[in-house]
Each structure stands twice: as C-alpha cells, then as structure tokens.
Amino acid sequence: MIDIAAGVNEQFANLSNYLVYSAMAVYTLAFLAHIAEWTFGSRSKVARSSAALPAGSGTSAPAVKVTKRGGGTAVLERPKVVTRGGDDRGIEDGKGAAGGDEQGELYGRIAISLTVLAFALHFGAVVFRGLSVDRAPWGNMYEFSVTLGLVAVAAYLVLLALGRSVRWIGLFLVTAVLLDLGLAVSVLYTSSDQLVPALHSYWLWIHVSCAIICGAIFHLGAVATILYLFRDRYEVALAAGRANGRFASVWARLPAAATLDKFAYRINAAVFPLWTFTIMAGSIWAESAWGRYWGWDPTETWSFITWVAYACYLHARATAGWKGRKAAYLALIGFACFLFNYYGVNVFIVGKHSYAGV
Amino acid sequence: MSTTDTDAPDSGASDAAARALSTAPVEEAEPESGSGDGPAGGPRLGVLGWARWFWRQLTSMRVALILLFLLSLAAIPGSIIPQTSTNPVKVSDFLKSHSVLGPVYTKLGLFHVYSSVWFSAIYILLFVSLAGCILPRSWQFIGQLRGNPPRAPRKLDRMPAYATWVTDAAPDDVLTAARGTLRRRRYRVAPGEGSLAAEKGYLREAGNLVFHIALFGLLIAFAWGTLWKSDGTKLVVPGPAGGFTNNQTQYDDLSHGALFNPDDMAHFGLTLDDFHAAYQTSGPTKGTPTTFYADVTYFGADNKDHKTRIRVNDPLNIEGNKIYLTSHGYAMNVTVKDGKGNVAYSGPVPFLPEDGNLTSQGVIKVPDAVDSKGKPEQLGFAGLFTPTTTIDPVMGPQSTFPALKNPTLFLTAYYGDLGMDAGLPQNVYVLDTASKNLHQFTVGGQPLKMPMVVGDTLKLPNGAGSITLDGVSQWADFEIVHQPGIDLALGSALAMLVGLAASLFIQRRRIWVRALPGADGRTVVELAGLGRTESPKAAEELARLVDVVHAQAPSVPEEPASPSTTAPEDSSDKEHA
Ligand code: HEM
C-alpha cells in the first residue's frame, strides 16, 4: 500500500502536457514525411509496373556454387538451403513505401527520424506525468492512452532497430498514434491527480502495464492484418491479371500477403500469453481488492471475450479451411473486442473498473 | 486432401512423415453420400453410427472453433444487461421500466447469463469436445515420445527446407557427422538405412496438452468455488460490544453457493479497535479518500487475540476466509437517559453515509426506556450527521468534506411504540415515523430539533429523558468471503501460462539427412527440414547443420546428378506406410 503524500507537482504536470502536444506536432510532421514517401514512391517504376511478379519458388534445382578465384583454385561455397513456403503464392515482398525512388527514400528516413524525436518527447511526457504524482502514469484513461501510444511506437522502433523489415508499418502506425493521442488530449483528458485507495497496489504496475503492452502490440498485429487483407485481395487480382485498382500501387509496395500474415500471426501469438497473464494478474488483484477473482464484471467479461476471440484465431490458424482471410477476420474481431473493452466498457458501461474520473 | 496441419507444405502433405508435427486432430472429409458411414447415408446409419459421427464432429477442430466463437458471443449480453449476481438493484429497476422486455429476458435467463442453461450448454459442450480431443492426443503424444522420429520420406526435396550436394566422403561418415551435431543440438535422432531422422521441440506439444488440461483444472476450481462459496458483509462499530464472530446469524447479509453448509463455517471473529481515513484536501478530486485502514483484534481457531491492520487491497486471511475492508462511516456514541434518569442506552450507533462527503443518516432506537412516571415508553431518534458542516440556505445542513472538521448531529426525537416487539424484522437504519403509535416530541408546536456538537445534551420535554453526544467514532464494513478452490484455480492458471508459452514459443521441427552412393559412386547428401511455416527457424537451423556437415564432407566441384531421381526409396519407408 502506498501512502500518498497527497501532492501533485503542478510544474511537472504542465511540462508533461506540453510534451504531449510537442510529440503530437512532431508525429504530425512524421506523418507528412511518410505521405511524401508514399507519394514519391508511387512515381517509381516498381509501383507503376505494379506487377510484383511471382518470383520463381524453390523449384529450381539447388546446386553447389563453385566460384573460381584468380589463382584457379576452386573455392567451395556451402550448398544453398532451398526453402519453399507452405501457403505463400511465391510472390515477393513489395519494395516498400518509397518503391526504390530516391526522394521517397529520403522522406522515409526523415519520417523515421521524426518518429524517433516524437517518441523521445512522448516518453518525456509519460515520465513527467508519473513524476508529477509519484506513481505509475497509467491510473486513468488519459494516461493509459498516452502510454499505450508510447509502447506501440517503442515496439515499432525496437523492431526497426533489430533490423526487421517493418518500415511499411510506419505511416499506419503514426496515423493511429496521432488518433490515439488526439482522443486522449481532447475527450479523455484528466488533470494529474492521486488515485483512490482501490488503485493503490503494485498490481496497478503489473496488471495495467501488461494490458498496455498487449494493447499496443495487438494494435501492431491488427494493422498488419488489415494490410494483409488488402494485399491478399490485390494478389488475387494480380493473379487474375486485373491488378490496377485505385490503390494498386500502394498494395504493390507492401510485403507479400504471406509475409504480412506471418508477421501478424507472430505478433498476436507472442502477445497472447501476455494477455493471458494480464487477465490472471487482474484476477489476483480483484481477489485481493474485491473478494473474488472472477465476477463477470463488464471489463472482466470483455477481457474474457477478447481472450476467447484470440484463442479462436489461434485455433483457426491450425484448422484447414480457416487459415488466411477467415483467421484474419477473427484476429480483427479480437482486436475490436480489446478496443471495445477499453473505450466502450469504460465509457458506456459502468462496472467496478471505473477509472478515476474516466 | 484435408488436414489441420499447418506444418505440412501442400506438396509434401502426402508424405506420412510430414504430417503429425502436432497431434492436432485431422479434419474429416465430408462423407460422400451413400458411402454408408456418414450422415448423408442416413438410413443406413445405426444409432451407434450416428453417435460415432456426432462424436467425431464434436471433437473436430472445426467444431471446437465454432464453440469457442459461440462462447465469446454468448458472454456479451451479460456485460450489457444488468446481472442479478452483480447488481440486483439495477435488475429490478430494469424489470420495472421494461414491462415487455423484462419477462422475456427473465425467461431467457438474461439476468443471470453466466449461470444460464444456454451459456452452460456451450461451455459444457466445449469441454466435452476438449476432453474428446485431449485424451486421444495425449495417447498419441506419449506414443510419439516412446517411438522414434518418422523415417526420412522418399522425396526430401519436397520439404520446406532442403539442401543437397555430392561429396567424396563415405555415406557413413556424413551420417556420423550429422548425427553428432544433431545430438549436440539436443535432437532426438533415429538412424535409418542410409539416412537419419531427427526431431526436436516435443515440449511444444507437451505445453499445448498441459494448457488444455489446465483449462479443466480451472473449470473445476471455478465450479467448486461457486458451489461452496459464502460471501457476507458485517458492519462493525468500534469496541468489544460491536465485535463479530463468524456465525450465519451475525451477518448483515450472507449469500452462498448451493452446497454451502452453515455448520462448516470456520471459527473466528474480530473487533474493531480503530479506523483511520485520510482524504485529498485540494484539487479537483478534493474529498476522495487517499488512504483508509482498520486496526482490528481478531481470534481464530486458537481463540487467542491478535492485532492487525486491514486495508483496502489487503484483506485479513484467517481460517480459509478473507476479510476485506469495503466501506466506512461515522458512528454516534450516545448516552440516552430515560424519564427516571437511568441510562437506557449507551454506545455507538452507526450512521450510513449518503454522499462522498459523508453526510450521514441514522436512527437511534431505545426500546427499554420509561417515562417520568416509570411507565415503559420507547424512545427513538432520527438524525442527520455532517462531519464538516455548512448550512445551505436551500438544502439545509450539508457536509462539504468527509473528515471531522466541524461535526454536527441534527436530531429529532420520538416516543411511543417503535414497533420492535411485533417480531417483524426491522431495518435498524429506519424509524417508522409514519406509524400512528410513534409521536414526535414538540416544543411550542414545533418539532423538537437541535444541532448538537460533541458533549452536548438534548433534554427531552416533559422530563422524558435526555440524549448526550459523547463522541463520534468510525465504523467499518467488512466483507467476509470463503471461497474454496482458489489454490487450484491459481495452480491451473500458472500451468496454463507455462503450457501456453511452451506451446507458442517452442518450435517442433524435424530434420532428415540422407547420404547414399550415387550413380557415379560419389555420395549424394540430402538434408531436409520441416517446421512451422510461420517460422524461418527450420531453414536457419538446417543451414547451420549444412555448414557443419559440409565442412566434414565437402562437395566436389561438379554438377550433381539430380538427387531426387537417384535416391532410392528408404527401405524402412515401406514398413512405415
Ligand atoms: C476450452 C476452450 C479452448 C481454449 C480456450 C483453447 C485455447 C487454445 C489456444 C490459446 C491455443 C494456442 C496455442 C497453440 O497454438 O499451441 C490452442 C491450440 C490448440 N487447441 Fe485449443 N482451446 C480450447 C479448446 C480446444 C478443443 C476443444 C480442441 C480440440 C478439438 C483444441 C485443440 C487445439 C489444438 C490441436 C491446438 C494446437 C494447434 C496448433 O498446432 O497450432 N482446443 N488452443
């Protein structure tokens, strides 16, 4: 139990607010830079000859490459491992937003630098919010949203830093984070304050921070899933020789449907245990705060629904006839449940989980 | 061809070895009409045939998927429609305001969704399906554990990862090198003729089974907890007289599961020594509590007194019960003297808070009083208490802060019959002022009314007695919960978590190595890997193995003959098929 020296450091609280607005301004610049990246990219040859034609799949006979060096000695390279995917169509990943266009590429890099800068400001905002009240900065919906956006960007930047090819997600992520922050500062804003005793618990750190991480990462998974659905349709059209819809040049620059699908699966599968843990931690907290570990409170119910929806998705991935688009819809349903649990239940249905002042 | 196996690439799926990287049930093909073993061939199906068909459907992945989806759908109404278990007041409000929908909802069990027939039906079917799925899978998995990895399939080049080269090293040397490396990488290796089969990641399947079995544990814990649970509240005023002992009659209200037995209630009790509360003194949330706790003395089976502090989020754990602090309020410590000057009542009387600033209301009932002539006459007082008093010109007295900054008690007094002897259960917080047997004390035609601060005494007219406000203390409301099965629930939850992590993060994968003399007498080496398509790991691992084996059996710089045509069928394959 944390006994609160009932103070709020107003200076820190104000600083936090300024930092949120600054971060939003810089995210907006990053957003514009991404738009420029995609726009310039659409000029590129790759985008115009929208056919990212099926690359020969691994049917070619593998062979040992022999490279002759100057002296005439044969240096043997190791034999190549030939892979063949189970489900993919053998279509290669798109070339990315810039589509190989130099100017587009430049703007893409500017966008990422701006995202890093905005992330730093955003991070500062969360830290000072926490410092202003000496507690974890996720005690109400405003703080939850701001932190969730931060974690989503952090996950993206970490993947980038690890050298994963996730640049394609940049524009969509920055857009979503801007929406999230916009909603936070306008509708959900709550000024910095202490919490009611029921929220004074180290489970606040554990349970809520896990929920935030899950939300942020499920969010990345959902973005990938949506893009998968578009790209999948594009690839089907491509195979049928009519891939010249309005956004064909956008879809052409995305990774292959199979790649997006795998990315989404790995993201969702990786957070699923954490989401399970989040619910369990919540139950343990509920047990110590309210005297029961499960009481079908609306928030509990929707966490359960979200959990079952994602379990459905994982099952669908392992069931013939359900892979691909159907599974993707289930993943989106899961994410919609998560969002509803967070916005819908907190705002429209009042349960025991009422955050301090929304 | 239909399979539930994500791991099998389309072209290799026909290979027995490629299948069953998990023990997931294989989806049955729709039976053809007239085949006699499907529903379409209905007339020829006996009862047993139908039962078998039904069972196969129920335990298929497809039906599990549908049931899971239904379960999530079925959980929705309970979050939108008020539930008797969590909010009975809202339910009765709903029933009052919806004369049409209300009865329909009642019929459908929508006010207790999570114990309704249809919700139960879904999860029971799901668990039956789960049992029907898990048991065979467990046997199958144990079989896999005791057996060897499946032999190398004939066409290794159909596998998701594949490499080949021709070397001058002897086949046996190649296999020995591969075997050593695989063993070191903790693969389970089984030799074949001119080939090796290796497998790793059995924990994935084990984790998956543990996860699903633990779901049963959780279900049992839940049922156990629901059936034997008891959950009651007790308002406790400070002092020994206000103490609580765990007994059905002592509760203010008690709800319990169907199989609860009052004789099994544990022996314990507590008294409240002191209650502390502190509030936000400024800011927009001024007045919200920042901390509160109760200091109590309790005894358990040992009948010895122990002192402890109970806080929100931090219940007292005693004899398998948990005592939670849920709310608090003020109690008036009063002394009432009757017409003969005898103390007719002395002690704390709890008042119930009406708002966040603890404007509180309560009544003081004094059944054993006599009037100035010694005739029995009951006394009653209705009071309003404001801890931080301001007098609003319109609303009257109100509290503007929950702490005792300027406490005042406003009392009106009654005499006559409190109606307590009638044997009807009475609400201790309400005075039946409408009763014609109860009369209000008046002064000059006006009801007797007096704001009192601590120490004040209100004299009743006609020498009927007096009431003194000796002090104000705080009571605490406790929730006493006995929920068995909690350890099983926690244990199952942990097992689920571990199983799930193993199931999702561990990759089950196979590697086959074949080394056979080719047509030209040189050795043709083939390596193939099979893993989940989601992961590039199988290919990466194979590449590392290729590195090692290739270093010991370097390729000869010549175009190799096409291996898949020269490699003879692994003789052991035939036994396998
Ligand atoms: C009680 C409800 C159930 C829940 C909450 C549930 C949950 C899950 C979850 C979260 C996974 C993902 C873990 C993984 O991919 O390894 C999974 C996998 C699996 N479940 Fe269930 N399950 C349930 C019922 C069933 C039933 C009834 C069956 C059988 C018909 C089943 C068969 C499987 C199989 C075979 C897998 C592994 C799929 C794979 O190889 O990827 N489950 N389950």
Side-chain angles (χ1 to χ4, degrees):
Chain A
M1 173 111 178
I2 312 150
D3 276 323
I4 304 283
V8 174
N9 185 322
E10 294 293 342
Q11 249 169 330
F12 283 172
N14 287 336
L15 181 56
S16 167
N17 289 353
Y18 286 131
L19 285 171
V20 168
Y21 281 107
S22 319
M24 285 177 72
V26 181
Y27 279 129
T28 310
L29 293 178
F31 171 79
L32 294 175
H34 271 306
I35 292 283
E37 179 192 18
W38 281 91
T39 314
F40 281 113
S42 69
R43 300 189 312 195
S44 76
K45 243 188 271 144
V46 189
R48 261 179 294 136
S49 66
S50 60
L53 287 170
S57 63
T59 37
S60 58
V64 178
K65 265 202 206 154
V66 182
T67 323
K68 295 251 183 197
R69 288 258 173 94
T73 352
V75 177
L76 297 172
E77 285 183 0
R78 75 163 166 79
K80 255 206 216 134
V81 170
V82 180
T83 55
R84 42 201 289 159
D87 301 325
D88 68 31
R89 303 185 173 98
I91 294 180
E92 271 188 358
D93 290 348
K95 284 271 189 300
D101 183 271
E102 249 175 59
Q103 236 168 327
E105 183 59 31
L106 178 66
Y107 276 108
R109 269 194 242 115
I110 291 177
I112 289 177
S113 313
L114 287 169
T115 309
V116 172
L117 176 61
F119 173 77
L121 296 167
H122 195 165
F123 184 73
V126 170
V127 167
F128 279 106
R129 181 80 178 191
L131 287 178
S132 78
V133 277
D134 268 331
R135 60 166 167 81
W138 44 77
N140 52 45
M141 277 185 83
Y142 167 74
E143 294 171 2
F144 189 103
S145 298
V146 172
T147 312
L148 193 141
L150 183 77
V151 175
V153 178
Y156 163 67
L157 292 179
V158 165
L159 286 176
L160 270 185
L162 289 178
R164 301 289 150 85
S165 51
V166 288
R167 271 183 60 177
W168 49 270
I169 216 171
L171 173 64
F172 310 97
L173 180 75
V174 169
T175 312
V177 168
L178 272 174
L179 286 175
D180 170 62
L181 288 181
L183 203 63
V185 296
S186 57
V187 180
L188 304 174
Y189 184 75
T190 323
S191 59
S192 212
D193 216 334
Q194 299 302 339
L195 300 176
V196 295
L199 288 178
H200 295 175
S201 165
Y202 54 89
W203 288 107
L204 176 70
W205 286 89
I206 299 170
H207 169 67
V208 185
S209 58
C210 285
I212 289 175
I213 294 172
C214 290
I217 299 195
F218 275 145
H219 170 236
L220 291 184
V223 171
T225 305
I226 293 172
L227 293 178
Y228 157 77
L229 288 172
F230 283 117
R231 170 80 190 198
D232 183 59
R233 211 177 48 195
Y234 163 79
E235 284 182 6
V236 169
L238 193 67
R242 46 180 173 78
N244 39 22
R246 264 187 73 194
F247 292 105
S249 100
V250 171
W251 313 137
R253 281 174 281 160
L254 287 175
T259 309
L260 287 169
D261 188 38
K262 266 181 219 173
F263 178 81
Y265 170 75
R266 282 157 80 181
I267 288 243
N268 287 333
V271 247
F272 186 78
L274 186 64
W275 179 240
T276 312
F277 175 74
T278 305
I279 299 177
M280 288 172 186
S283 294
I284 296 174
W285 188 9
E287 204 270 332
S288 68
W290 300 327
R292 83 288 185 293
Y293 60 89
W294 195 264
W296 297 108
D297 171 81
T299 303
E300 289 168 355
T301 305
W302 279 94
S303 308
F304 172 75
I305 295 170
T306 308
W307 187 77
V308 174
Y310 275 108
C312 253
Y313 164 73
L314 293 177
H315 272 207
R317 297 272 318 188
T319 306
W322 278 83
K323 280 178 239 181
R325 295 187 77 89
K326 280 188 204 162
Y329 291 127
L330 285 172
L332 290 184
I333 290 176
F335 187 63
C337 291
F338 182 91
L339 286 184
F340 182 76
N341 194 10
Y342 176 46
Y343 291 106
V345 173
N346 279 336
V347 178
F348 303 115
I349 307 176
V350 181
K352 275 195 171 219
H353 276 82
S354 40
Y355 266 127
V358 174
Chain B
M1 165 78 224
S2 85
T3 172
T4 58
D5 200 332
T6 34
D7 310 300
D10 296 337
S11 49
S14 53
D15 279 310
R19 253 190 270 128
L21 202 57
S22 99
T23 53
V26 173
E27 213 61 49
E28 307 258 337
E30 273 303 313
E32 273 150 44
S33 75
S35 67
D37 56 44
R44 280 195 267 153
L45 266 186
V47 175
L48 206 69
W50 273 103
R52 283 225 328 259
W53 176 81
F54 181 75
W55 181 248
R56 273 210 306 269
Q57 292 297 310
L58 186 63
T59 55
S60 73
M61 284 293 276
R62 191 182 309 272
V63 171
L65 188 63
I66 292 169
L67 286 172
L68 265 174
F69 193 69
L70 279 180
L71 184 69
S72 60
L73 279 185
I76 294 176
S79 73
I80 297 163
I81 298 164
Q83 298 292 294
T84 334
S85 56
T86 46
N87 207 334
V89 181
K90 258 197 180 164
V91 173
S92 53
D93 286 353
F94 188 95
L95 281 172
K96 266 180 225 144
S97 56
H98 297 79
S99 56
V100 183
L101 268 187
V104 176
Y105 280 15
T106 310
K107 263 243 167 65
L108 293 176
L110 285 171
F111 296 117
H112 59 99
V113 166
Y114 307 109
S115 54
S116 69
V117 180
W118 45 274
F119 190 78
S120 313
I122 294 173
Y123 74 75
I124 289 171
L125 272 180
L126 186 57
F127 273 90
V128 171
S129 164
L130 186 54
C133 170
I134 284 300
L135 283 176
R137 282 181 64 198
S138 301
W139 297 138
Q140 198 184 332
F141 179 58
I142 290 171
Q144 288 179 359
L145 278 182
R146 295 162 89 195
N148 275 324
R151 303 275 148 116
R154 209 163 60 88
K155 297 204 165 170
L156 284 181
D157 61 336
R158 295 258 178 96
M159 287 297 139
Y162 176 74
T164 183
W165 70 93
V166 174
T167 178
D168 280 332
D172 276 351
D173 295 343
V174 175
L175 292 178
T176 313
R179 185 190 180 121
T181 316
L182 288 167
R183 276 267 163 82
R184 242 171 286 126
R185 297 207 184 130
R186 301 219 304 280
Y187 271 83
R188 176 196 285 235
V189 186
E193 271 172 57
S195 67
L196 282 182
E199 181 161 355
K200 189 177 174 175
Y202 290 86
L203 267 182
R204 175 199 148 80
E205 198 68 11
N208 189 282
L209 292 172
V210 164
F211 168 80
H212 284 90
I213 292 167
L215 283 173
F216 278 101
L218 202 61
L219 185 76
I220 292 166
F222 210 74
W224 181 10
T226 311
L227 290 172
W228 275 275
K229 176 175 180 147
S230 73
D231 182 346
T233 58
K234 174 68 180 173
L235 187 152
V236 179
V237 291
F244 163 82
T245 45
N246 190 35
N247 185 311
Q248 202 176 3
T249 57
Q250 283 256 321
Y251 283 87
D252 294 334
D253 67 77
L254 178 70
S255 60
H256 53 75
L259 299 178
F260 164 80
N261 179 356
D263 297 339
D264 297 339
M265 291 178 84
H267 175 69
F268 63 88
L270 64 77
T271 53
L272 177 63
D273 301 326
D274 205 357
F275 186 88
H276 297 270
Y279 306 91
Q280 194 86 36
T281 50
S282 61
T285 52
K286 181 180 169 193
T288 50
T290 51
T291 166
F292 47 75
Y293 56 84
D295 286 332
V296 299
T297 304
Y298 69 93
F299 64 88
D302 61 357
N303 272 324
K304 285 205 190 85
D305 281 352
H306 311 271
K307 287 194 178 298
T308 192
R309 182 168 284 185
I310 305 181
R311 312 165 194 259
V312 177
N313 281 336
D314 187 11
L316 168 62
N317 210 331
I318 173 174
E319 307 295 337
N321 288 253
K322 284 196 173 160
I323 305 185
Y324 298 85
L325 176 60
T326 56
S327 62
H328 65 112
Y330 290 107
M332 306 300 119
N333 297 321
V334 294
T335 301
V336 179
K337 289 187 176 163
D338 64 12
K340 283 287 179 206
N342 300 322
V343 174
Y345 178 85
S346 179
V349 180
F351 273 40
L352 297 186
E354 308 229 284
D355 60 26
N357 286 324
L358 297 186
T359 303
S360 310
Q361 282 202 335
V363 303
I364 302 159
K365 295 182 180 179
V366 188
D368 304 317
V370 292
D371 65 11
S372 53
K373 297 180 195 94
K375 211 175 79 191
E377 177 147 80
Q378 300 186 326
L379 297 174
F381 304 87
L384 176 76
F385 176 72
T386 47
T388 298
T389 313
T390 42
I391 310 283
D392 185 282
V394 185
M395 315 271 288
Q398 268 191 321
S399 177
T400 50
F401 193 73
L404 292 174
K405 286 191 167 170
N406 178 17
T408 315
L409 173 65
F410 300 85
L411 277 185
T412 52
Y414 299 85
Y415 63 96
D417 182 5
L418 294 173
M420 290 170 81
D421 307 329
L424 289 172
Q426 259 209 342
N427 188 333
V428 292
Y429 301 103
V430 186
L431 206 57
D432 185 12
T433 52
S435 158
K436 56 182 185 307
N437 298 325
L438 198 61
H439 317 282
Q440 194 163 23
F441 281 111
T442 53
V443 181
Q446 289 296 314
L448 172 73
K449 224 183 202 170
M450 180 173 150
M452 300 168 72
V453 298
V454 172
D456 280 356
T457 297
L458 171 66
K459 280 217 170 344
L460 299 176
N462 316 325
S466 68
I467 179 166
T468 308
L469 180 61
D470 303 320
V472 176
S473 56
Q474 296 193 73
W475 53 259
D477 197 35
F478 293 103
E479 184 173 355
I480 299 112
V481 182
H482 175 60
Q483 182 161 39
I486 232 168
D487 295 333
L488 179 60
L490 187 62
S492 307
L494 289 178
M496 268 171 70
L497 208 55
V498 172
L500 193 58
S503 169
L504 287 169
F505 298 140
I506 294 176
Q507 314 279 338
R508 189 156 174 201
R509 49 210 186 268
R510 292 194 184 134
I511 285 181
W512 291 281
V513 182
R514 176 176 285 139
L516 287 171
D520 58 355
R522 286 175 157 162
T523 306
V524 180
V525 182
E526 282 183 286
L527 285 91
L530 174 68
R532 287 178 75 82
T533 53
E534 276 81 14
S535 170
K537 222 173 176 169
E540 285 161 15
E541 271 195 307
L542 193 71
R544 276 188 310 225
L545 181 65
V546 166
D547 272 348
V548 177
V549 178
H550 187 252
Q552 300 187 26
S555 43
V556 280
E558 248 151 311
E559 199 57 27
S562 176
S564 52
T565 49
T566 52
E569 191 169 335
D570 192 335
S571 55
S572 52
D573 249 20
K574 282 178 221 133
E575 309 154 20
H576 215 73

